[in-house]
């Protein structure tokens, strides 16, 4: 197997790293502390093509492969995960879902605006009573002939307040249970749509997370994605791709914390020599580096499988499960390497530790990943060919 990145991939990786270090890092502590939405930074990311990396050029996107997207996510996540999660939702859940399953009319209407970053998108699945159990949708989309009337509440919505385009998962035929669910594109400025207050979160604090409420919202039936009742399958499909993005985010968090710890260990001296020269710290760094490398191979492999048109759901779940776990471990150890300095905001590692926790929760909790993995194991095989 060839582990070398292409010249184009290396260029994308460098561009993302330079942007993260030069444009995201200044001000990231203030944005996190004060919950300041990174509007300017997301606009820049749109201009650079990061918000539509997986969208074909014919719809205004960058037309990149999944591995290139992972490389960019990884570098941005070393610095600012409020920005990288917006990029993940935009690419993995919103743009990819529309591009793969929506009508040509919807693709032409929404993808150019989303891919350029002019419009931010949001994926509305979770509800107060439907988190990990996505089949229990209480939000309804009543079929009125040529349109739907949507009522209900969605919560924990990333990009919820600043998005202009929503993909709403709602129940149309309750008697059919999960086979009665639909995915519908809703313009955020539609009459009857309101948003709640921003959540005061442990991490990714400048990302806008809020509830979105729908009261008698009228949406054309042409805004439905796929056939009637396709919504649940749609959600599960895009979540598979989304898990690769979040796995890349977790990998970036761990990598960013490691880089800070390694640099600090060379500068900080104790007992007459850099602390890196003490076995206690050297062994910590060795373990951190090994865990990151293992996670990197898993994340890159999941991306590669997707690019090859092969079954990647289990690989994505495994990558997210492991990468999110080591993000927690590595960030905790990075703080320990920094000692007391790691406990203050100035040194960045405490923020990365707070950001790491959410990667074990959103886009499917770690427990859900284990369910996905075990179910796939029972069916046998990782390399079942699927449509690209």
């Amino acid at each position: 197997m060839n582990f070398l990145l292409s010249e184009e991939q290396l260029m994308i990786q460098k561009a993302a790293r330079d942007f993260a270090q030069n444009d995201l890092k200044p001000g990231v502590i203030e944005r996190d502390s004060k919950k300041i939405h990174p509007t300017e930074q997301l606009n820049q990311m749109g201009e650079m093509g990061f918000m539509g990396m997986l969208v074909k050029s014919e719809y205004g996107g960058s037309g990149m492969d999944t591995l290139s997207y992972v490389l960019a996510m990884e570098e941005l996540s070393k610095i600012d995960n409020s920005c990288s999660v917006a990029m993940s939702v935009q690419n993995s859940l919103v743009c990819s879902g529309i591009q793969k399953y929506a009508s040509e009319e919807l693709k032409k209407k929404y993808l150019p605006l989303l891919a350029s970053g002019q419009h931010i998108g949001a994926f509305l699945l979770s509800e107060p009573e439907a988190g990990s159990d996505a089949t229990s949708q209480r939000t309804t989309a009543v079929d009125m002939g040529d349109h739907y009337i949507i009522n209900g509440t969605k919560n924990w919505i990333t990009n919820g307040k600043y998005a202009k385009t929503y993909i709403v998962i709602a129940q149309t035929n309750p008697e059919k249970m999960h086979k009665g669910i639909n995915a519908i594109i809703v313009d955020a400025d539609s009459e009857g749509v309101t948003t709640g207050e921003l959540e005061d979160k442990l991490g990714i604090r400048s990302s806008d997370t809020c509830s979105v409420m729908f009261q008698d919202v009228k949406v054309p039936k042409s805004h439905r994605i796929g056939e009637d009742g396709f919504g649940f399958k749609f959600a599960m499909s895009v979540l598979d791709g989304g898990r690769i993005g979040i796995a890349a985010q977790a990998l970036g968090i761990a990598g960013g914390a490691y880089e800070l710890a390694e640099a600090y260990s060379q500068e900080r001296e104790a007992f007459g020599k850099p602390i890196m020269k003490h076995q206690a710290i050297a062994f910590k760094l060795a373990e951190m580096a090994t865990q990151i490398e293992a996670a990197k191979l898993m994340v890159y492999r999941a991306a590669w499988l997707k690019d090859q048109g092969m079954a990647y759901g289990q690989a994505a779940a495994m990558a997210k499960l492991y990468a999110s776990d080591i993000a927690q471990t590595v960030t905790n150890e990075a703080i320990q390497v920094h000692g007391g300095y790691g406990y203050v905001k100035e040194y960045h590692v405490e923020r990365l530790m707070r950001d790491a926790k959410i990667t074990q929760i959103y886009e499917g909790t770690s427990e859900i990943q284990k369910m996905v993995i075990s179910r796939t194991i029972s069916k046998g095989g990782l390399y079942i060919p699927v449509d690209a």
Side-chain angles (χ1 to χ4, degrees), residues 155-198:
N155 65 345
W156 313 120
I157 305 304
T158 301
N159 300 340
K161 194 168 286 289
Y162 289 85
K164 293 186 177 180
T165 303
Y166 294 148
I167 296 181
V168 180
I169 309 300
Q171 180 62 262
T172 298
N173 298 292
E175 68 281 0
K176 294 183 179 180
M177 302 176 71
H178 72 280
K179 293 182 179 180
I181 293 172
N182 281 309
I184 303 166
I185 298 178
V186 179
D187 295 324
D189 60 0
S190 299
E191 184 177 353
V193 177
T194 56
T195 58
E197 294 298 315
L198 294 175

Side-chain angles (χ1 to χ4, degrees), residues 285-320:
L285 293 170
E287 291 173 356
M288 293 159 70
T290 301
Q291 290 168 330
I292 292 168
E293 192 64 19
K296 182 176 295 186
L297 291 172
M298 295 180 76
V299 177
Y300 287 14
R301 174 176 168 273
W304 179 83
L305 286 170
K306 186 173 185 289
D307 286 334
Q308 301 307 308
M310 302 176 77
Y312 64 91
Q314 186 186 59
M318 286 179 168
K320 182 183 182 297

Side-chain angles (χ1 to χ4, degrees), residues 304-357:
W304 179 83
L305 286 170
K306 186 173 185 289
D307 286 334
Q308 301 307 308
M310 302 176 77
Y312 64 91
Q314 186 186 59
M318 286 179 168
K320 182 183 182 297
L321 175 64
Y322 184 74
S324 63
D325 282 349
I326 69 105
Q328 280 276 280
T329 300
V330 169
T331 54
N332 186 62
E333 290 288 58
I335 289 178
Q336 197 70 16
V337 170
H338 280 77
Y341 292 103
Y343 206 66
V344 297
K345 295 182 184 296
E346 180 184 352
Y347 285 77
H348 295 283
V349 285
E350 65 84 30
R351 184 184 72 258
L352 291 173
M353 185 183 74
R354 290 187 285 106
D355 288 348
K357 183 58 192 176

Side-chain angles (χ1 to χ4, degrees), residues 73 77 81-82 84-85 88 202-204 242-254 316-331 351-369:
M73 275 290 299
S77 299
N81 289 283
S82 293
S84 67
V85 71
S88 177
L202 173 72
I204 57 167
R243 285 164 186 157
I244 295 177
I246 299 306
Q249 182 183 51
L251 176 63
I253 291 170
M318 286 179 168
K320 182 183 182 297
L321 175 64
Y322 184 74
S324 63
D325 282 349
I326 69 105
Q328 280 276 280
T329 300
V330 169
T331 54
R351 184 184 72 258
L352 291 173
M353 185 183 74
R354 290 187 285 106
D355 288 348
K357 183 58 192 176
I358 191 61
T359 65
Q360 294 178 313
I361 298 173
Y362 57 17
E363 310 251 349
T365 64
S366 293
E367 291 73 22
I368 289 295
Q369 303 316 308

